[in-house]
């Protein structure tokens, strides 16, 4: 009996650590690409997930894990639907976790924080019934459910992207991501956690990219104005190939956006072909191109300039998002901070209490006293 408890305890420890990894990896944006192609139904993927973990840790642990992850993801689904964000079904992938796929991004950090917050909140509510069930049955399984639920959701509230805590913190201040990076890095060093190091790298990269975008914001605004002026001039001068080519060549060295530079390179190459056609026409005795050829050339130039207009529109949206997405008023910051701290405290107390009642269970104490 004691040997069975010890072996079960070992499995449980690995299971708890594995469960944290499942949720963390499940939060990575890259996994969402896989889901788009797999198109697994929730029930089918849940069954595969359940069978996999049942074969390793037993049915009780597997059912508990599926239940906790499912309710957590339903929290995100509920929040997304409240703000009219289209979402896909919850998908379970063994050794990865459970996620829902957002079909479009939230409009602001406030909305993103709301969607992120409801996951751990539902996670807390999911294991609250385990408290009275343990008091009534004194079954260690219910204490394990409390510990597992508290650990998964509490860990997920570390303020670093791509975790829910990082998305909530974004509505308060992205500077909190720095705190999350330090905390998770320290934990990863102490526990030698590969997943922790992976998330630190991803979170640091996300923070650095945002820092670069915000630092370049004024330069990007100036570049947008220059591009608007350039496109207007190119449209006006489009019949004059030499003038268009000269403006394109100069602009290539001043524009920093890679996609727009590629379009300008394409325009320059097409003009080279048009000038070559004109040169060949002159060699054959013709002084000018036919009206049909001229019209075809103008259509090609117009098509490229329309493409340039579209890319400029995308750049404007990106700059506007960088400028406004993370802006929240003072009241919103305070509200997000208070509900975030409140949830962290509630989960911490639950996790601590779950450990206490499990460690004080008679069967566990017998094993420990040996």
């Amino acid at each position: 009996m004691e040997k069975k408890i010890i072996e079960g305890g070992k499995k449980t420890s690995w299971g708890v650590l594995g469960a944290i990894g499942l949720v963390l990896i499940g939060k990575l944006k890259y996994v969402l690409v896989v889901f788009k192609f797999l198109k697994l139904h929730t029930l089918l993927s849940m069954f595969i997930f359940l069978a996999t973990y049942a074969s390793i840790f037993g049915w009780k642990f597997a059912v508990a894990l599926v239940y906790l992850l499912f309710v957590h993801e339903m929290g995100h689904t509920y929040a997304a639907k409240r703000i009219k964000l289209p979402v896909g079904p919850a998908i379970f992938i063994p050794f990865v976790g459970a996620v829902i796929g957002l079909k479009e991004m939230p409009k602001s950090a406030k909305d993103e924080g709301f969607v992120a917050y409801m996951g751990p909140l539902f996670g807390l509510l999911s294991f609250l019934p385990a408290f009275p069930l343990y008091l009534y049955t004194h079954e260690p399984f219910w204490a394990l459910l409390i510990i597992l639920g508290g650990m998964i959701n509490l860990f997920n509230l570390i303020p670093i992207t791509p975790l829910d805590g990082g998305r909530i913190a974004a509505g308060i201040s992205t500077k909190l991501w720095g705190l999350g990076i330090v905390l998770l890095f320290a934990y990863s060093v102490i526990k030698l956690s590969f997943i922790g190091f992976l998330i630190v790298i991803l979170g640091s990269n996300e923070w650095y990219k945002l820092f670069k975008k915000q630092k370049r914001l004024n330069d990007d605004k100036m570049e947008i104005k220059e591009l608007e002026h350039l496109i207007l001039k190119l449209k006006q001068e489009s019949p004059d190939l030499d003038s268009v080519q000269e403006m394109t060549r100069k602009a290539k060295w001043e524009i920093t956006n890679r996609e727009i530079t590629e379009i300008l390179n394409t325009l320059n190459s097409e003009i080279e072909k048009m000038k070559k056609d004109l040169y060949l026409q002159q060699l054959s005795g013709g002084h000018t191109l036919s009206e049909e050829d001229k019209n075809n050339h103008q259509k090609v130039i117009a098509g490229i300039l329309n493409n340039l207009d579209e890319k400029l529109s995308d750049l404007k949206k990106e700059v506007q998002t960088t400028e406004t997405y993370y802006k929240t008023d003072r009241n919103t910051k305070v509200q997000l901070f208070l509900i975030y701290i409140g949830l962290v405290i509630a989960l911490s107390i639950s996790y601590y209490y779950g450990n206490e009642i499990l460690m004080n269970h008679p069967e566990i104490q017998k094993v420990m006293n040996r």
Side-chain angles (χ1 to χ4, degrees):
M1 175 65 182
E2 292 175 0
K3 185 178 179 182
K4 185 177 180 181
I5 292 173
I6 293 171
E7 290 176 350
K10 289 179 180 178
K11 285 188 176 183
T12 298
S13 299
W14 284 108
V16 169
L17 293 174
I20 293 174
L22 299 178
V23 173
L24 299 184
I25 297 178
K27 295 296 171 188
L28 304 184
K29 294 178 181 178
Y30 308 106
V31 178
L32 298 178
V33 179
V34 178
F35 297 149
K36 183 177 179 181
F37 293 101
L38 291 178
K39 297 185 183 296
L40 297 175
H41 293 293
T42 299
L43 290 177
L44 177 60
S45 63
M46 186 186 293
F47 176 78
I48 296 171
F49 188 98
L50 186 65
T52 302
Y53 280 89
S55 66
I56 301 172
F57 302 109
W59 284 103
K60 278 190 175 182
F61 180 86
V63 170
L65 182 57
V66 167
Y67 165 72
L68 291 169
L69 293 176
F70 180 75
V71 176
H72 179 105
E73 295 307 323
M74 287 305 98
H76 293 314
T77 300
Y78 166 79
K81 288 183 176 179
R82 278 292 300 271
I83 59 175
K84 299 184 178 359
L85 275 180
V87 295
I91 302 296
F92 290 79
I93 304 293
F95 307 109
V96 174
V99 297
I100 59 164
L102 289 178
K103 296 180 180 179
E104 63 181 59
M105 286 299 293
K107 293 179 175 60
S108 66
K110 179 182 177 181
D111 287 347
E112 186 176 358
F114 173 66
V115 174
Y117 181 81
M118 295 307 286
L121 178 61
F122 272 50
L124 171 64
L125 297 176
S126 69
F127 64 80
L128 287 183
F131 287 97
L133 286 170
Y134 176 81
L135 294 175
Y136 179 73
T137 64
H138 295 285
E139 173 62 45
F141 170 76
W142 299 117
L144 171 64
L145 185 68
I146 295 168
I147 294 170
L148 186 59
M151 186 178 290
I152 289 172
N153 290 285
L154 187 60
F155 205 101
N156 201 33
L157 282 175
I158 294 175
I160 176 175
T161 56
L163 304 184
D164 291 332
R167 303 187 186 286
I168 297 168
I172 304 169
S173 172
T174 53
K175 292 178 181 178
L176 289 173
W177 290 355
L179 174 62
I181 290 170
V182 171
L183 289 175
L184 189 53
F185 180 77
Y187 171 86
S188 302
V189 170
I190 294 169
K191 299 293 184 180
L192 297 178
S193 170
F194 170 76
I195 293 173
F197 283 122
L198 177 62
I199 293 173
V200 166
I201 292 171
L202 292 172
S204 300
N205 183 57
E206 195 71 22
W207 196 27
Y208 178 67
K209 285 196 298 184
L210 178 62
F211 170 76
K212 282 207 309 183
K213 283 182 180 180
Q214 291 178 334
K215 187 177 181 181
R216 277 197 49 82
L217 193 59
N218 289 332
D219 291 338
D220 287 340
K221 286 180 180 179
M222 288 296 297
E223 189 166 289
I224 286 172
K225 289 181 179 179
E226 291 172 2
L227 282 169
E228 288 175 333
H229 179 70
L230 172 65
I231 293 172
L232 180 63
K233 290 288 290 180
L234 288 172
K235 287 179 178 178
Q236 291 173 347
E237 301 290 333
S238 60
D240 186 346
L241 297 183
D242 289 329
S243 178
V244 171
Q245 189 173 42
E246 182 63 24
M247 285 189 286
T248 302
R249 283 175 175 171
K250 287 182 180 179
K252 281 195 306 180
W253 300 106
E254 298 172 357
I255 302 301
T256 59
N257 185 277
R258 184 177 57 83
E259 291 182 340
I260 289 177
T261 302
E262 287 176 358
I263 295 173
L264 291 175
N265 284 332
T266 300
L267 178 59
N268 188 59
S269 298
E270 290 297 330
I271 291 175
E272 287 287 354
K273 292 178 184 177
M274 294 173 190
K275 291 175 73 173
K276 184 178 179 181
D277 289 342
L278 178 59
Y279 177 71
L280 292 174
Q281 182 74 15
Q282 290 172 343
L283 286 179
S284 63
H287 295 289
T288 60
L289 294 172
S290 66
E291 286 300 317
E292 183 180 356
D293 287 336
K294 287 181 181 179
N295 288 336
N296 288 336
H297 288 172
Q298 286 302 303
K299 285 180 181 179
V300 171
I301 293 174
I304 296 173
L305 292 181
N306 285 338
N307 192 14
L308 196 58
D309 262 330
E310 290 174 3
K311 291 299 179 185
L312 178 58
S313 179
D314 291 340
L315 181 59
K316 285 180 180 179
K317 289 177 183 177
E318 186 179 333
V319 169
Q320 185 179 17
T321 298
T322 301
E323 185 175 24
T324 63
Y325 188 84
Y326 294 100
K327 282 186 177 180
T328 51
D329 58 71
R330 188 170 180 275
N331 288 337
T332 300
K333 292 179 187 291
V334 171
Q335 288 172 4
L336 283 172
F337 178 76
L338 290 177
I339 62 176
Y340 172 76
I341 292 298
L343 187 55
V344 169
I345 292 172
L347 288 167
S348 299
I349 292 172
S350 299
Y351 174 72
Y352 174 79
Y353 182 73
N355 271 294
E356 284 294 303
I357 59 179
L358 187 62
M359 291 300 101
N360 290 324
H361 192 276
E363 290 185 9
I364 301 299
Q365 283 191 334
K366 283 181 183 179
V367 176
M368 293 178 66
N369 290 332
R370 292 289 183 182

